[in-house]
Amino acid sequence: MALVGFTGIAAAIGRRSQGEWDPTETARLRSLLEAGGQGVIFAIAPLVVASAGVAEALIWRVGNGALALLHTTGAARFLVGSGVGPRHWFPGAGRVTTVLLPIAAAVLILAQIAAALGFLPNLGPFLYLGTLLWFLFVGLLQFIFLLIGTRAA
């Protein structure tokens, strides 16, 4: 959440404070804000649902299913829907970054789906936490790239 709070600092640096945003920077800012917001909402949700008396196993299954859906839509937008592909998100980065990050996301999404379907009952809470940490990692990357001002070639 602290990263979201510092977004104003990144926005105030350089040409961005004068309204000169390129599509990559706009997508990064949106990704940073979404990652922070999703992290907070999904961190609180299990506590609220558990206080209503819902069974713990059901909380993790539904939670992982919801996160898998959210993660899938985010990954799809990252790859094709935002109008900027992976090479624009990580300018100057090699194939390791632009290939390994989407593969890691896909593995996490598949594990979440398996947990939501009940195939990994003991891993449900850990996958849920792992996804929240993934969202924070994505937010951190976007914050760093906004702060250092890398631009797509």
Side-chain angles (χ1 to χ4, degrees), residues 11-37:
I13 294 174
R15 67 196 173 286
R16 288 176 237 132
S17 64
Q18 299 157 356
E20 297 177 19
W21 289 71
D22 69 17
T24 301
E25 291 172 328
T26 303
R28 285 183 179 151
L29 178 63
R30 184 180 60 240
S31 177
L32 170 62
L33 295 172
E34 287 175 356

Side-chain angles (χ1 to χ4, degrees), residues 118-142:
F119 294 116
L120 303 172
N122 296 332
L123 295 179
F126 300 106
L127 290 170
Y128 193 90
L129 176 61
T131 303
L132 295 182
L133 294 174
W134 179 267
F135 288 163
L136 292 177
F137 174 69
V138 167
L140 176 63
L141 281 179
Q142 301 313 327

